[in-house]
Amino acid sequence: MAELEIPVPVYNWIVDFYGGHAHHTMTNITASIIQGSGIGPAAYAVISADLKPIHSENSMVKFADDTYIVIPSSNVGTRTQEIDNVTLWAAANNLKLNVSKTREIVFQDSRWRSVATPPSPLPGISREHTLKILGVKITSHLSASDHLRQVISESAQSLYALRVLRHHGMTEAGLHAVFRAVVVSRLTYASPAWSGFITATDRQRADAFLRRSKRCGFCPPDLAEFDQLLEDSDDELFNKIIHNPRHTLYQLLPGQSVASQHYDLRHRTHDRQLPAHKDI
């Protein structure tokens, strides 16, 4: 932690917080991460800063206390080495890799005519066809249709709660506010990440649910269609990124266009250089 660029007061506070600190379940446990504490996710991000893949072609994504290793097909022979690397790192940091919660998924493009033979499963690690990443389900064929179907099903159950609230005298404006806060937010949760992996049928299913909610009086009649809700979520995220250089995704934006730097052009949504079109 001392190697990271952390402000001195914050560093001293974290050191003081962990000094002699332990948590208790059935026995007294002293570990690098205190489960259930507000600082837990941030502490894991700090502690795992030196956890990196062995091979440069592989990549590692960490969020809160979840770690994902992304290995391309050309590097499939390094899977065991990467798992062993995480196991050794965990032991060195007073942690333990929970193999029972470790999952492997092999992504394949269903549009390919020839299906490649997947590698043999890793010993002791379960291979799944669906992976839940931060609440979003993605299948091995890069589809989020199952995720959207589940979200619509859970949202339909929320209509009963809205019906109860109306029976107890909640106004129409109150019902609409609850619908936006609960149902709409659930439908669009992390949508910029998965909206490109659903089909036209999935979008129609979501629109049918919204129309039914409007007929029942739970949904505001002026609520946009599902496609527009997804587009609004995309725009909101993009605006947050482009106007905040400290945003995690800001570094992924392309550079400013040459024209925007030398000419006084009319206002546009962004001033970034669009990638060149490649004919396939």
Side-chain angles (χ1 to χ4, degrees), residues 163-275:
R163 191 174 292 110
V164 172
L165 291 174
R166 182 166 59 186
H167 177 74
H168 285 276
M170 178 171 281
T171 63
E172 186 179 71
L175 292 172
H176 292 173
V178 172
F179 186 90
R180 285 183 179 274
V182 176
V183 179
V184 176
S185 61
R186 180 186 292 149
L187 285 172
T188 57
Y189 166 72
S191 61
W194 56 260
S195 58
F197 300 101
I198 59 176
T199 64
T201 303
D202 298 327
R203 297 171 186 266
Q204 293 170 3
R205 184 180 291 110
D207 279 327
F209 168 74
L210 292 177
R211 287 195 297 269
R212 179 159 64 94
S213 301
K214 290 179 181 180
R215 288 196 301 269
C216 294
F218 301 134
C219 176
D222 59 345
L223 185 70
E225 293 185 350
F226 187 60
D227 272 348
Q228 186 61 49
L229 293 177
L230 296 180
E231 186 175 340
D232 292 344
S233 295
D234 289 344
D235 292 341
E236 182 180 359
L237 176 61
F238 181 75
N239 289 329
K240 287 181 179 179
I241 297 172
I242 200 169
H243 295 115
N244 182 12
R246 295 181 178 273
H247 197 285
T248 304
L249 300 179
Y250 186 86
Q251 59 181 339
L252 301 179
L253 293 175
Q256 288 183 316
S257 64
V258 177
S260 65
Q261 299 179 50
H262 295 84
Y263 301 98
D264 185 15
L265 303 176
R266 63 181 175 85
H267 177 73
R268 296 176 180 269
T269 305
H270 64 86
D271 58 356
R272 301 290 159 168
Q273 178 67 47
L274 297 179

Side-chain angles (χ1 to χ4, degrees), residues 88-123:
L88 292 174
W89 173 88
N93 287 273
N94 199 21
L95 298 171
K96 183 179 180 181
L97 176 64
N98 192 339
V99 180
S100 63
K101 291 185 177 181
T102 304
R103 300 289 184 267
E104 180 188 29
I105 184 170
V106 179
F107 292 105
Q108 291 182 326
D109 193 339
S110 59
R111 296 172 297 180
W112 288 357
R113 293 184 179 180
S114 59
V115 179
T117 303
S120 57
L122 291 169

Side-chain angles (χ1 to χ4, degrees), residues 67-69 83 98-106 122 124-128 130-132:
T67 301
Y68 303 91
I69 305 175
I83 294 296
N98 192 339
V99 180
S100 63
K101 291 185 177 181
T102 304
R103 300 289 184 267
E104 180 188 29
I105 184 170
V106 179
L122 291 169
I125 296 179
S126 174
R127 175 172 293 179
E128 306 289 342
T130 302
L131 187 64
K132 193 171 186 179

